[in-house]
Amino acid sequence: MEAQAQGLLETEPLQGRDEDAVTSADFSSMLSEEEKEELKAELVQLEDEITTLRQVLSAKERHLVEIKQKLGMNLMNELKQNFSKSWHDMQTTTAYKKTHETLSHAGQKATAAFSNVGTAISKKFGDMRSHSIGFSLEEGAMKKQKKNKEQPIFICF
C-alpha cells in the first residue's frame, strides 16, 4: 500500500506522453464551479508572478551589464577569456594530446620524405649536369677528331 501511495506522490516532472495524456484529458467536467473559480484565480496569480519574475530578471541582467562595464569587462573580453579557457581545456584532453602527437609524428615523417625527395632531385640534376658537361666534352672531342679526319694524312715509306 505504501508503494501505491508513493506512486501518487511522485515529484518527477511529467514526461512527453504523460503531458499529452494530461492535456488531452477534459477535467473541466469533473470540477465544480467553485474549484474552477479557484483555479482561474490561481492561474491569474501565476501569470502575474511570472511577469514579475521576468521583470526582475531583466532588471538584474541590466544591472549585471552595468557592473561589467564599470569593471571594464565587455563582450569581446569575455569572448577572449572564454576562448582562452576553452582552448586550454581542449589542450588538456587526452584526445587532443593523442591527435597532436600523431600529427607531429606525421609531420616529422613528411619532412623527412620531402627532404629525401629534394636530395634525390638534387642528385638527378647533378647527374644530368655532369652528364651534359661530359657530353659537351665528348662532343668537342668528336669535332676535333672529325676535323683531324678531314685532313689527309700521308704516310710515307
Side-chain angles (χ1 to χ4, degrees):
M1 180 152 167
E2 190 175 306
Q4 288 177 336
Q6 265 187 327
L8 296 174
L9 299 175
E10 286 184 15
T11 58
E12 295 292 319
L14 295 177
Q15 300 301 317
R17 67 172 194 221
D18 297 330
E19 289 175 4
D20 293 341
V22 170
T23 55
S24 65
D26 184 18
F27 293 111
S28 62
S29 62
M30 296 171 38
L31 299 174
S32 68
E33 285 301 318
E34 186 179 316
E35 289 173 324
K36 285 181 186 179
E37 290 302 319
E38 285 177 16
L39 287 175
K40 286 180 183 178
E42 187 178 350
L43 180 64
V44 168
Q45 183 183 356
L46 281 173
E47 288 174 341
D48 287 344
E49 287 176 6
I50 290 171
T51 302
T52 303
L53 287 172
R54 284 186 178 143
Q55 290 170 348
V56 170
L57 179 61
S58 179
K60 295 230 180 235
E61 286 176 336
R62 283 192 300 273
H63 187 63
L64 175 75
V65 169
E66 290 171 5
I67 291 173
K68 285 183 176 183
Q69 286 175 343
K70 287 178 183 176
L71 291 173
M73 297 170 65
N74 60 21
L75 181 61
M76 190 56 91
N77 288 341
E78 284 187 57
L79 288 174
K80 285 179 187 177
Q81 288 173 350
N82 288 343
F83 180 76
S84 294
K85 184 180 181 317
S86 297
W87 180 249
H88 179 266
D89 291 347
M90 186 189 68
Q91 286 179 319
T92 58
T93 63
T94 305
Y96 176 85
K97 289 176 182 177
K98 286 182 180 178
T99 303
H100 184 294
E101 183 180 310
T102 301
L103 291 176
S104 177
H105 186 67
Q108 290 170 357
K109 287 196 175 236
T111 301
F114 285 131
S115 177
N116 289 341
V117 168
T119 302
I121 290 172
S122 295
K123 187 175 185 233
K124 276 290 185 193
F125 279 135
D127 290 349
M128 288 172 56
R129 199 150 138 263
S130 65
H131 179 70
S132 65
I133 290 171
F135 182 73
S136 297
L137 291 176
E138 286 177 19
E139 191 178 77
M142 287 173 57
K143 283 181 182 178
K144 197 173 189 180
Q145 282 179 355
K146 197 175 186 184
K147 196 175 189 182
N148 288 341
K149 283 185 181 178
E150 291 175 2
Q151 296 175 354
I153 299 176
F154 297 104
I155 300 177
C156 298
F157 289 101

